[in-house]
Amino acid sequence: MSRLKNKNILVAVTAGIAAYKVAILVRLLVKQEAQVKVIMTPDARSFVTPLTLSTLSKNSVEWKFFSDNGDWNNHVEFALWADYMIIAPCTANTLSAMANGTCNNLVLATYLSAKCPVIIAPAMDLDMYQHPTTKSNLEILEKNNVHIIPSESGELASGLVGEGRMAEPEHIVDFLDKLIEKDLPLFGKHVLISAGPTYENIDPVRFIGNYSSGKMGYSLAEASYLLGAKVTLVSGPSAEKVSHKEITVQKITSAQDMYTAMHNNFLEADITIMAAAVADYRPKEIAEQKIKKDDDTMIIELVKNPDILKSLGEIKTPDQILVGFALETNNEIAFAEKKLKKKNLDFIVLNSMRDKEAGFQKDTNKITILDRNGEQKSFETKSKKEVAFDILSYLITQKLS
Ligand code: C5P
């Protein structure tokens, strides 16, 4: 899933040679599951065909105020439909028209009607881009809150080399992603998450572990990222992969490694969620060589691991939100409430081993969230990805809004 999923993106194409790259832009947006509509200036059709763009966007492409059957292509409707409007390429002529409020084609009329953020990717020859009139037009648009993706440097269609190339489609998508991020509820927040099991070594080839898959923690990392946060994921051994390269992953093995990694990141974290299944005990000694099976019985002495969550609860500031998980088999609510207090948490997410759909290795979970004011909310069985959104949305409404 991407942050662009289900966003309505209106791509407006004007008549510059870079228009051929808009096909790639539309493809990238559709791949990220955005809804895409394309409008054009009449002359833009000389550079890229409406058929190409309608095929890629899966929507009809308009360039006139009236369709051939006489229907009015309502520019206001396009403008209202769009969550974001991208004018790419934006020629010197369209720039000038936008700066002056000219309204003689469908793209300009739609721009004037748009209440959503408007992004332009100017594209023109080097000297046109440098011209004082172009510069002052860009300044006017900037003042009018139009987002400008600066032209890039390189070879131009004229043969000149310099600034004026339309930003590459990938860069336009990145720019849009960053803009969307600013409107998301966790924008500016750092979320720290732990996931998976820990392995406690017995000897070089054996360990004590548990069946945690890491799915819940990885889903929380993805959901936090999609809600706009900067995310650090501290993961024990897990087959899961992070969905977005922007999520920082620190892989660890033992509870002690996890303790260090969590504390190293904790001061910077606004929200910390311990979804890991930390081993409570570790072998007192780790044998240097593989232990031989000479005896009929064997005793491994275990010592207690630090309770990471509790140690974070002891140093947390009032601005930091700390969330733990509780997997219980009986007296679930009472045990979870006790843990919440003992570990100084803001929320505890309870899943019961009595629920067949919850727990280790499962793709689904059924949770109840308890907070420190004694409030609790139970949710239906859902996929762990959906549960992650439920947890974060609850936290946002209870604490951040
Ligand atoms: O006390 P209990 O292990 O049931 O608490 C579960 C919560 O505490 C989980 O959020 C888990 O990640 C965390 N925990 C921890 N360090 C441990 C044991 C559990 O942070 N040693």
Side-chain angles (χ1 to χ4, degrees):
M1 207 203 281
S2 102
R3 287 164 169 172
L4 271 72
K5 185 174 172 157
N6 293 333
K7 293 276 181 300
N8 291 344
I9 313 292
L10 182 64
V11 176
V13 191
T14 72
I17 180 64
Y20 79 93
K21 290 191 192 168
V22 171
I24 299 164
L25 174 64
V26 170
R27 178 78 196 104
L28 290 175
L29 294 170
V30 169
K31 232 173 144 183
Q32 299 220 15
E33 299 175 86
Q35 304 297 322
V36 183
K37 285 188 183 178
V38 180
I39 55 173
M40 308 175 83
T41 60
D43 287 345
R45 292 173 302 150
S46 308
F47 296 94
V48 58
T49 72
L51 182 62
T52 305
L53 298 176
S54 66
T55 308
L56 291 172
S57 67
K58 303 182 176 80
N59 276 308
S60 60
V61 172
E62 307 297 343
W63 61 89
K64 293 185 287 197
F65 284 112
F66 292 96
S67 301
D68 290 339
N69 62 9
D71 282 350
W72 168 242
N73 283 324
N74 195 341
H75 53 88
V76 177
E77 249 168 48
F78 280 118
L80 288 179
W81 172 85
D83 295 319
Y84 296 87
M85 178 177 182
I86 306 176
I87 305 177
C90 186
T91 58
N93 184 42
T94 299
L95 258 183
S96 160
M98 286 170 74
N100 289 293
T102 307
C103 184
N104 57 3
N105 64 40
L106 185 63
V107 168
L108 292 168
T110 308
Y111 162 66
L112 287 174
S113 314
K115 292 199 179 70
C116 65
V118 177
I119 301 155
I120 60 166
M124 61 201 77
D125 217 347
L126 174 67
D127 298 326
M128 294 166 85
Y129 197 58
Q130 298 299 341
H131 198 279
T133 324
T134 303
K135 290 201 163 142
S136 65
N137 285 337
L138 281 168
E139 276 165 25
I140 292 171
L141 291 183
E142 203 158 16
K143 259 192 232 136
N144 292 348
N145 294 324
V146 172
H147 301 273
I148 299 161
I149 310 182
S151 293
E152 297 178 359
S153 229
E155 244 176 66
L156 297 158
S158 63
L160 293 176
V161 176
E163 257 180 329
R165 281 163 67 100
M166 184 180 85
E168 291 301 324
E170 289 82 2
H171 299 167
I172 298 177
V173 174
D174 284 348
F175 188 95
L176 180 61
D177 187 70
K178 289 276 163 294
L179 204 62
I180 291 173
E181 182 186 62
K182 291 197 183 117
D183 291 334
L184 293 171
L186 290 180
F187 177 65
K189 302 284 177 206
H190 188 172
V191 179
L192 172 63
I193 295 164
S194 70
T198 63
Y199 285 180
E200 310 300 325
N201 285 348
I202 298 170
D203 69 13
V205 295
R206 302 184 183 94
F207 61 85
I208 297 173
N210 60 64
Y211 288 118
S212 167
S213 62
K215 282 181 182 152
M216 194 62 247
Y218 277 71
S219 298
L220 280 162
E222 178 178 14
S224 303
Y225 168 76
L226 291 173
L227 290 168
K230 175 175 175 233
V231 185
T232 303
L233 177 67
V234 174
S235 170
S238 165
E240 294 294 303
K241 298 258 177 304
V242 280
S243 46
H244 296 89
K245 61 182 186 325
E246 293 84 353
I247 298 173
T248 304
V249 185
Q250 296 181 6
K251 284 264 187 184
I252 54 87
T253 305
S254 69
Q256 285 171 303
D257 299 341
M258 187 173 273
Y259 179 95
T260 308
M262 291 303 286
H263 276 270
N264 283 346
N265 289 293
F266 185 64
L267 284 185
E268 306 240 311
D270 300 291
I271 300 168
T272 300
I273 308 177
M274 277 291 301
V278 186
D280 291 318
Y281 293 90
R282 67 177 182 276
K284 189 173 179 192
E285 311 282 352
I286 303 175
E288 271 181 33
Q289 307 299 335
K290 188 181 170 198
I291 300 170
K292 298 285 173 211
K293 52 175 183 299
D294 297 333
D295 302 322
D296 285 344
T297 60
M298 181 179 159
I299 292 173
I300 300 171
E301 192 180 347
L302 302 177
V303 291
K304 207 161 192 186
N305 270 327
D307 188 320
I308 305 167
L309 189 54
K310 187 161 175 283
S311 69
L312 298 174
E314 280 158 10
I315 58 170
K316 104 178 182 75
T317 62
D319 293 341
Q320 286 180 301
I321 301 173
L322 187 59
V323 184
F325 271 74
L327 182 64
E328 306 291 344
T329 54
N330 61 319
N331 282 336
E332 292 91 340
I333 297 283
F335 279 130
E337 267 173 348
K338 209 167 137 196
K339 258 175 218 173
L340 181 118
K341 293 215 173 74
K342 190 173 128 200
K343 302 193 189 199
N344 191 25
L345 310 179
D346 297 282
F347 300 95
I348 194 154
V349 181
L350 167 68
N351 32 91
S352 166
M353 284 298 271
R354 282 196 274 187
D355 284 316
K356 285 202 182 58
E357 301 93 348
F360 287 175
Q361 302 284 338
K362 300 263 167 48
D363 286 326
T364 52
N365 207 352
K366 187 171 186 318
I367 59 158
T368 301
I369 305 178
L370 291 87
D371 73 16
R372 56 197 302 154
N373 305 322
E375 290 199 27
Q376 46 173 281
K377 184 167 166 58
S378 295
F379 296 81
E380 294 302 310
T381 302
K382 294 183 184 179
S383 73
K384 285 187 174 168
K385 285 187 188 300
E386 290 169 305
V387 170
F389 279 103
D390 281 345
I391 294 171
L392 292 163
S393 307
Y394 188 75
L395 206 140
I396 290 163
T397 48
Q398 296 288 311
K399 272 279 189 181
L400 300 177
S401 54

